[in-house]
């Protein structure tokens, strides 16, 4: 089964309000041994995210503010205003990164990982259909999905890709896995099904690469076989 964010997210979320003082934020991060948390309004809608890096940046800005305040060059004055705004921050609302990058619980773990990488963030608040906070997914949460044995991956490739999605007998293709790298060997009836087999194998959680040794019978040039979703909660990505 393809894992979704709702399977791995942390449901008991440590959160802050816009008016939470920075000292209280530092205490929350230290007490719960976390590096960041979401900031929500009184309706539990996510306003932003604040991290220990933001708090350190604020401390650095307080000393930098004194040194750049005297410059009159326009570019430096703009820089000084930005530094001063950070230095004067006293609450979560003053310092948070907003808007927050969020995900929904039904999104695939692999897609959430790509969102993290694209935006350079360490955590993703998880929101419902009304954008209310229901959980949080960290890099560590997502990593757990990829800590699967090669045998678990091999079984899922055969069951989900070839038996369920492509409707083939389970002995049609031989799949071997080493360190997450999947090698596919066998002969498919249609040559046009080979790219589909590779694409769907890549979508299995824990797969880091695919070595294709498949061959095809008829080079029919036809459209791919209609696919069933990989697992009950997954979404097809074209």
């Amino acid at each position: 089964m393809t894992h979704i964010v709702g399977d791995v997210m942390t449901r008991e979320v440590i959160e802050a309000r816009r008016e939470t003082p920075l000292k209280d934020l530092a205490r929350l991060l230290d007490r719960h041994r976390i590096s960041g948390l979401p900031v929500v309004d009184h309706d539990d809608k996510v306003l932003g995210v604040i991290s220990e890096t933001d708090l350190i940046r604020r401390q650095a800005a307080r000393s930098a503010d004194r040194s750049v305040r005297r410059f009159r060059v326009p570019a430096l004055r703009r820089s000084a205003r930005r530094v001063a705004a950070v230095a004067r921050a006293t609450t979560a609302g003053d310092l948070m990164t907003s808007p927050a990058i969020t995900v929904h619980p039904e999104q695939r773990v692999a897609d959430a990982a790509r969102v993290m990488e694209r935006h350079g963030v360490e955590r993703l608040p998880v929101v419902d259909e009304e954008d209310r906070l229901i959980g949080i997914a960290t890099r560590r949460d997502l990593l757990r999905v990829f800590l699967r044995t090669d045998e678990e991956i091999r079984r899922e490739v055969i069951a989900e890709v070839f038996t369920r999605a492509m409707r083939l007998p389970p002995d049609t293709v031989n799949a071997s896995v080493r360190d997450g790298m999947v090698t596919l060997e066998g002969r498919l009836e249609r040559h046009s099904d080979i790219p589909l087999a590779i694409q769907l194998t890549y979508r299995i959680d824990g797969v880091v690469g695919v070595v294709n040794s498949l061959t095809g019978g008829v080079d029919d040039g036809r459209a791919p076989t209609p696919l069933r979703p990989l697992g009950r909660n997954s979404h097809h990505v074209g």
Side-chain angles (χ1 to χ4, degrees), residues 12-31:
E12 295 182 4
V13 186
I14 308 303
E15 61 190 42
R17 303 288 182 178
R18 184 192 294 271
E19 63 274 13
T20 302
L22 296 185
K23 283 191 175 182
D24 290 349
L25 278 172
R27 293 190 188 101
L28 282 172
L29 296 178
D30 180 62
R31 182 184 311 133

Side-chain angles (χ1 to χ4, degrees), residues 88-197:
R88 288 195 299 266
T90 60
T91 66
D94 296 333
L95 199 57
M96 68 183 180
T97 299
S98 181
I101 308 299
T102 62
V103 291
H104 292 278
E106 68 273 10
Q107 288 182 245
R108 295 171 55 235
V109 165
D111 294 334
R114 281 192 283 270
V115 171
M116 277 188 176
E117 185 65 24
R118 185 182 312 125
H119 294 280
V121 296
E122 299 289 329
R123 65 202 57 80
L124 294 168
V126 185
V127 297
D128 63 14
E129 63 277 4
E130 296 181 345
D131 291 328
R132 290 188 174 90
L133 182 69
I134 58 172
I136 194 161
T138 66
R139 286 180 182 264
R140 181 173 297 179
D141 293 329
L142 302 190
L143 180 62
R144 284 201 296 268
V145 170
F146 296 97
L147 297 178
R148 311 177 68 199
T149 68
D150 288 341
E151 178 58 22
E152 287 174 328
I153 295 171
R154 188 196 69 80
R155 287 199 301 263
E156 186 165 348
V157 168
I158 295 299
E160 293 293 338
V161 174
F162 295 102
T163 303
R164 179 183 174 84
M166 299 187 72
R167 307 185 184 104
L168 298 174
D171 58 352
T172 302
V173 171
N174 177 56
S176 58
V177 186
R178 182 172 182 178
D179 296 330
M181 182 69 68
V182 181
T183 299
L184 300 176
E185 298 175 295
R187 182 177 178 83
L188 303 183
E189 182 179 344
R190 298 190 308 175
H191 193 273
S192 59
D193 283 339
I194 295 176
L196 288 173

Side-chain angles (χ1 to χ4, degrees), residues 5 10 24 44 49 57 60 65-66 70 85 100 107 113 117 141 144 156 161 169 172 204 209-210 212 217 230:
V5 172
T10 299
D24 290 349
D44 283 336
V49 172
R57 182 165 54 92
D65 182 41
R66 291 190 289 271
R70 64 182 181 274
Q107 288 182 245
E117 185 65 24
D141 293 329
R144 284 201 296 268
E156 186 165 348
V161 174
T172 302
I204 296 295
V210 179
N212 174 42
L230 295 185

Side-chain angles (χ1 to χ4, degrees), residues 35-52:
S35 60
L37 47 80
V39 181
V40 299
D41 64 15
H42 293 284
D43 199 27
D44 283 336
K45 294 189 176 181
V46 179
L47 302 174
V49 172
I50 193 162
S51 70
E52 58 188 7

